[in-house]
Amino acid sequence: MPRHFDPIYLDHNAGAPLRPVVREAMIAALQEAGNASSVHTHGRKARGKIEEARDAVARLCGAKTRAVTFVSGGTEANMTALTPAWQDQGAPVYLDKLFRSAIEHPSVVTGGRFPVIDQVVVPVDENGVVRLEALEELIKDVDPSLISVMAANNETGVVQPLAEIGALAQQYGHFFHVDAVQAAGRMPIDVEAWQADVITLSAHKFGGPQGIGAVIVRSTARVPAPLMVGGGQENWRRGGTENVAAISGFGAAAISALEEATETRHLLHLRKRLEEGLRAVCPQTVIFGEGADRLANTVCFAVHGIAAETALIAFDLERVSLSSGSACSSGKVSVSHVLTAMNVDEETARCALRISMGWDTSEADVARFLEIWPKIVDRLNPEARHQAA
């Protein structure tokens, strides 16, 4: 009789499973009535839950509590941050251009509220790290502009030199945005150390609910123009009645993520075991971004001759969920723009698979993956088992 295995989830970069503590916080919020803008007892109780969550998210980022604005998710957060129109010390400022790296998330690649003509792409090296000298050359002789660089890449896990980029932004009088969606809970977030004017988060990447994110500024005197206008919610920075349950869940997730951000030994151990196991099966395995600092939870790899879409189907039949790259591009057969920017050839890029682990990933999950992978290789490209590195 065949053994029964529970499903294995290795796609945390697309969205992490909901933490039990988050579910409890959301259920408690859902059981209460009240609009947080109301002055009666029920409204004040809802307001209290929002402010508790705001404080937790601020602590996750090393920011002031009033610097946190809740929005509907990472995409809205990025759209809010990516605008030429800002307020600085009470005066309107119009930024000249958007300088964004070549490996940004699709919600940043679109340029937000910047016209296409005002968008400039900053190149990266073969590991997917922003070329600082190229960035400096691009920004040194232009009027105040916005620089947008993600903290860690969603496909490869490669971490960017944010403090150095922030220093360049300060030196040349520019504003700096960091998409920290993949960083939360996986590395320390420090808005001051990065000298970032604005950072953006999405709760569901680290065990919070879907549909809730945040825009966090370094100073409430320097803020992007609101994207959603209407009432005076969120200190007039985002109109619309707050989703108290989702915000409560976000806060609970932030507390857990803050504890995990500096304690990554478990994930580093699992990543090392995975990469050693992959190369034991196929010595020619390519691990993208291997020469750079990476998140402990992410392994993006390829084996020549094993197409990603075919491998994903095979894994799904074994009840293992992983990804071929950005979940926001799922269903598309185009090559990853991230790998293209890293000068990965098209044939290799079409074989790219991404494993992303998180708070609930176990040794048994990794062991099961490494048990299944050789069988898939033997079905799809048995010669890969014998090709030298």
Side-chain angles (χ1 to χ4, degrees):
M1 179 179 296
R3 291 182 294 169
H4 171 77
F5 292 99
D6 291 331
I8 296 175
Y9 188 75
L10 296 173
D11 202 14
H12 280 247
N13 287 9
L18 199 69
R19 298 172 188 265
V21 67
V22 170
R23 184 178 294 107
E24 292 172 6
M26 294 182 71
I27 290 172
L30 287 167
Q31 290 173 337
E32 299 286 346
N35 185 315
S37 296
S38 300
V39 297
H40 50 57
T41 301
H42 289 87
R44 293 198 305 273
K45 193 168 185 179
R47 171 58 55 194
K49 289 183 179 297
I50 290 175
E51 297 311 317
E52 287 177 9
R54 198 186 311 278
D55 181 67
V57 173
R59 283 187 281 119
L60 176 64
C61 304
K64 296 181 176 68
T65 301
R66 283 181 58 83
V68 177
T69 300
F70 291 115
V71 297
S72 69
T75 295
E76 185 189 331
N78 285 337
M79 282 291 294
T80 301
L82 299 177
T83 178
W86 283 62
Q87 286 281 325
D88 191 6
Q89 308 299 324
V93 175
Y94 193 86
L95 302 180
D96 189 56
K97 295 185 183 300
L98 169 65
F99 294 91
R100 58 94 177 163
S101 84
I103 47 82
E104 295 300 308
H105 185 271
S107 63
V108 173
V109 169
T110 60
R113 292 180 273 175
F114 279 88
V116 173
I117 195 172
D118 292 335
Q119 299 175 27
V120 181
V121 179
V122 182
V124 297
D125 64 19
E126 65 279 2
N127 284 304
V129 178
V130 167
R131 294 184 181 274
L132 293 174
E133 71 285 355
L135 173 61
E136 183 171 14
E137 189 64 29
L138 288 168
I139 67 173
K140 67 180 183 180
D141 294 319
V142 300
D143 291 333
S145 298
L146 181 65
I147 301 168
S148 181
V149 178
M150 64 192 344
N153 186 259
N154 49 304
E155 296 187 31
T156 64
V158 169
V159 175
Q160 299 298 328
L162 299 174
E164 291 88 341
I165 296 170
L168 285 174
Q170 288 287 311
Q171 180 181 346
Y172 292 102
H174 300 301
F175 291 32
F176 183 30
H177 163 241
V178 177
D179 175 350
V181 165
Q182 294 294 343
R186 299 163 188 167
M187 60 180 276
I189 297 175
D190 192 331
V191 65
E192 290 291 343
W194 296 348
Q195 299 187 71
D197 294 289
V198 58
I199 66 174
T200 45
L201 296 180
S202 182
H204 77 103
K205 302 296 186 179
F206 53 94
Q210 296 180 4
I212 189 71
V215 177
I216 302 101
V217 294
R218 182 154 51 118
S219 169
T220 54
R222 177 181 276 193
V223 296
L227 176 66
M228 298 282 286
V229 295
Q233 296 90 350
E234 296 300 293
N235 294 309
W236 296 95
R237 295 187 207 132
R238 202 275 187 181
T241 301
E242 293 100 336
N243 185 339
V244 180
I247 291 171
S248 295
F250 193 174
I255 293 170
S256 297
L258 182 59
E259 296 171 355
E260 295 167 357
T262 55
E263 183 47 72
T264 59
R265 286 179 295 179
H266 172 65
L267 289 175
L268 282 169
H269 167 72
L270 294 181
R271 191 184 76 181
K272 180 180 179 182
R273 186 177 174 192
L274 267 170
E275 293 179 351
E276 289 175 348
L278 289 168
R279 288 206 161 115
V281 175
C282 299
Q284 55 142 340
T285 299
V286 177
I287 297 175
F288 300 108
E290 189 175 20
D293 184 21
R294 289 177 293 147
L295 295 176
N297 81 310
T298 304
V299 180
C300 188
F301 70 98
V303 173
H304 291 102
I306 299 181
E309 58 266 36
T310 307
L312 288 178
I313 293 170
F315 273 115
D316 196 45
L317 292 172
E318 297 282 355
R319 308 181 78 198
V320 178
S321 297
L322 56 151
S323 172
S324 59
S326 172
C328 299
S329 299
S330 61
K332 299 180 181 179
V333 296
S334 58
V335 172
S336 161
H337 73 282
V338 173
L339 299 183
T340 298
M342 294 165 60
N343 289 322
V344 176
D345 65 89
E346 183 174 334
E347 181 183 354
T348 303
R350 290 189 182 279
C351 298
L353 293 167
R354 182 189 69 186
I355 300 167
S356 49
M357 303 171 285
W359 67 268
D360 66 337
T361 307
S362 68
E363 291 267 3
D365 294 336
V366 172
R368 178 64 180 147
F369 173 89
L370 292 174
E371 180 182 331
I372 293 168
W373 178 233
K375 300 174 185 177
I376 292 176
V377 172
D378 286 342
R379 287 204 307 271
L380 301 181
N381 185 13
E383 294 181 1
R385 299 285 298 272
H386 311 293
Q387 294 173 357

